Amino acid sequence: MTAAVADRRTAHRAPPPVPAWWADVAGSVAVLSLLVVTALWTADRGVQELLGGVATGLTSLGRLAGLVSADLMLIQVVLMARVPLIERSFGQDRIARWHRLAGFTSFHLLLAHVALTVLGYAGTARQGVLAETWDLVVTYPGMLLATAALALLVLVVVTSVRAARRRLRYESWHLLHLYAYLGIALALPHQLWTGADFLASAAARAYWWTVYLLALASVLIWRLGLPAWRSARHRIEVAAVVPEAPGITSVWLRGRHLHRLPVRAGQFLLWRFLDGPGWSRAHPYSLSAPPNGDLMRITVKDLGDDSARVATLRPGTKVLVEGPYGRLTGERWRGGGITMLACGVGITPLLALLWELPYAPGEAVLLHRARTGEDLAFRAELDRLVAERGLVVHHLVGPRAQQPAWLPAYAQGMSDADALRRLSPGVAGHDVFLCGPDGWVDAARAAIRAAGVPDAHVHHERFAW
């Protein structure tokens, strides 16, 4: 199977680069939506009520908090709907940071909306906060559903806190996270039936119906429809399973018209192997070889979760795919020198890039970090790249250093930046690609920056699924 990596029987059609201006347009639309929400609140006497007294001011401020919270919640939905142009413009690491920021901001504004509205209504009705809360929940249309929505969103936010998320399996966290969609759906009747800003203005109704329908369409089209269509079109199945190193397994996949799959080397897809229980849980694995004729390859490290199943897959197992996703691709390469830093199974997306990028002999340097020689996967394939493409490879083998460092312990006689410059003399003018565990990547990025490489020339992406 390895020989197929370089045999280009059918040319793969890489998708065209995303126009640079698209990111500015997408960001501007998100900001504009928040301005529109604020303008609608202002047009519905929001400012006058804010200044009209304590009780009406609290109610008006609560309305604004609820409107902005709802808008941010819908922005979150679109961010994580896996819209291809958004994915390729920003990359999963930035999208995930914005999703997290928008999520926690939206949640805090939602809590503020509840508290301010209850206080404002209680002040107007001249009754206690608990009595007013009961009246709102029991007598106002849609409020019971809104209360259930709040409970679901609390569950999602609590399990998204880093300390809680570290204690959950990825599959459990992902399943709980899906309740956010149900929470948003349950909150909608409250806005339609009792939302003053929705009921009082035709412009507000037009805006909110538009953004809700756009968010729904983005999920139905990009998160559900497109993966189903691609899985049916390409009919992917397992062709072979190959051990690469202890705990590291490659899976060769066969399908129809894979040269039409709009994936670039360095990207990842979400995979579901239809081999029995657990098939419904998707896992993000990078391509370790780009589509080539009717074959492509992923490589997986056994991390103790469902990834262990990969080594037991049998040829002929059907596969469902979502994606491709990610920006760790050749379209960000400026041409000229390349330095790649890989740690462990992080070699997989970089190996695919090394096959795809049209660098000249001697222009590409790979620094391959592993704890032991047995952990160095793809030795024969890298030797082939050295012989056929002129790749320069340095294997950095040994236990890790005590302090944060990307080098093994034995190499700590010089600074990380000096070691990088010695191993890749032209690194300051190179495009640098790196992939590995988060702590190692952070240490490597510090050394890359100290070696004089601008941040704009450093290409890395953390999986955010």
Side-chain angles (χ1 to χ4, degrees):
M1 283 290 180
T2 303
V5 173
D7 298 333
R8 297 290 175 185
R9 296 188 298 276
T10 305
H12 174 245
R13 301 178 184 178
V18 175
W21 52 264
W22 171 250
D24 295 331
V25 170
S28 299
V29 169
V31 173
L32 180 61
S33 72
L34 296 172
L35 295 177
V36 169
V37 165
T38 305
L40 291 172
W41 169 80
T42 302
D44 194 29
R45 298 181 55 79
V47 176
Q48 292 93 321
E49 293 180 2
L50 182 64
L51 303 176
V54 175
T56 58
L58 290 172
T59 303
S60 181
L61 198 57
R63 281 170 45 207
L64 179 60
L67 292 170
V68 175
S69 173
D71 200 67
L72 286 174
M73 209 172 293
L74 293 173
I75 289 174
Q76 275 188 284
V77 171
V78 175
L79 280 175
M80 300 309 287
R82 302 168 187 169
V83 180
L85 280 175
I86 294 177
E87 290 277 338
R88 293 179 57 207
S89 294
F90 299 109
Q92 262 298 303
D93 50 353
R94 278 204 287 173
I95 288 175
R97 288 198 300 270
W98 294 340
H99 171 73
R100 186 176 182 85
L101 176 62
F104 280 104
T105 303
S106 174
F107 179 71
H108 290 133
L109 286 171
L110 178 61
L111 295 181
H113 164 67
V114 173
L116 292 169
T117 301
V118 169
L119 290 172
Y121 277 36
T124 301
R126 299 183 181 279
Q127 67 173 344
V129 171
L130 292 179
E132 184 62 37
T133 301
W134 178 259
D135 285 345
L136 284 171
V137 171
V138 173
T139 62
Y140 277 65
M143 283 302 299
L144 283 173
L145 293 177
T147 303
L150 178 61
L152 289 173
L153 293 174
V154 168
L155 173 66
V156 170
V157 170
V158 168
T159 55
S160 295
V161 175
R162 287 190 175 91
R165 184 172 174 177
R166 282 195 293 267
R167 289 175 170 80
L168 290 171
R169 294 178 61 194
Y170 166 81
E171 297 85 358
S172 302
W173 171 83
H174 188 261
L175 180 61
L176 290 171
H177 213 64
L178 293 178
Y179 281 107
Y181 291 111
L182 180 57
I184 294 170
L186 291 176
L188 179 58
H190 154 61
Q191 185 175 7
L192 300 182
W193 296 340
T194 62
D197 294 88
F198 189 90
L199 296 173
S201 166
R205 287 195 296 274
Y207 172 78
W208 284 108
W209 275 119
T210 299
V211 295
Y212 269 109
L213 290 174
L214 285 175
L216 176 61
S218 67
V219 172
L220 292 178
I221 293 171
W222 305 117
R223 190 144 192 172
L224 299 176
L226 184 61
W229 179 78
R230 283 185 176 154
S231 293
R233 182 191 192 194
H234 296 294
R235 299 183 187 178
I236 298 172
E237 63 180 33
V238 173
V241 178
V242 181
E244 302 287 357
I248 298 178
T249 303
S250 283
V251 180
W252 283 94
L253 301 137
R254 180 188 299 113
R256 297 190 314 159
H257 310 306
L258 289 186
H259 64 285
R260 296 181 181 273
L261 184 66
V263 61
R264 300 182 69 104
Q267 291 188 299
F268 64 95
L269 297 94
L270 298 181
W271 305 87
R272 289 181 172 88
F273 299 100
L274 307 184
D275 61 338
W279 70 267
S280 62
R281 295 190 291 267
H283 292 274
Y285 300 135
S286 294
L287 294 183
S288 55
N292 175 22
D294 62 349
L295 292 171
M296 60 183 171
R297 183 183 66 189
I298 60 173
T299 302
V300 180
K301 182 176 178 63
D302 179 2
L303 297 175
D305 56 6
D306 279 3
S307 57
R309 295 169 49 214
V310 170
T312 66
L313 292 172
R314 295 185 176 183
T317 301
K318 304 298 183 184
V319 184
L320 304 180
V321 295
E322 297 178 40
Y325 306 119
R327 294 183 71 219
L328 191 66
T329 66
E331 69 182 270
R332 305 175 70 189
W333 177 46
R334 298 167 298 140
I338 302 167
T339 297
M340 294 192 176
L341 290 81
C343 183
V345 77
I347 186 65
T348 56
L350 304 188
L351 184 62
L353 280 167
L354 287 169
W355 281 114
E356 182 180 88
L357 293 177
Y359 52 87
E363 279 190 330
V365 179
L366 172 67
L367 310 180
H368 190 189
R369 174 79 176 90
R371 187 173 183 84
T372 68
E374 291 184 346
D375 295 329
L376 290 172
F378 303 110
R379 288 292 293 265
E381 197 165 320
L382 290 173
D383 289 343
R384 184 175 172 186
L385 280 164
V386 170
E388 296 181 8
R389 300 290 310 277
L391 174 68
V392 178
V393 179
H394 298 285
H395 296 295
L396 306 173
V397 180
R400 65 182 180 180
Q402 294 300 314
Q403 70 271 25
W406 66 276
L407 290 166
Y410 71 79
Q412 288 299 292
M414 66 181 75
S415 72
D416 281 8
D418 287 341
L420 178 58
R421 282 189 287 258
R422 177 172 294 185
L423 293 167
S424 181
V427 66
H430 286 188
D431 278 284
V432 179
F433 295 80
L434 68 159
C435 189
D438 287 349
W440 179 87
V441 166
D442 291 338
R445 292 200 69 158
I448 291 165
R449 190 176 294 113
V453 182
D455 286 343
H457 300 165
V458 181
H459 313 303
H460 164 64
E461 188 166 34
R462 303 176 196 269
F463 285 173
W465 303 95

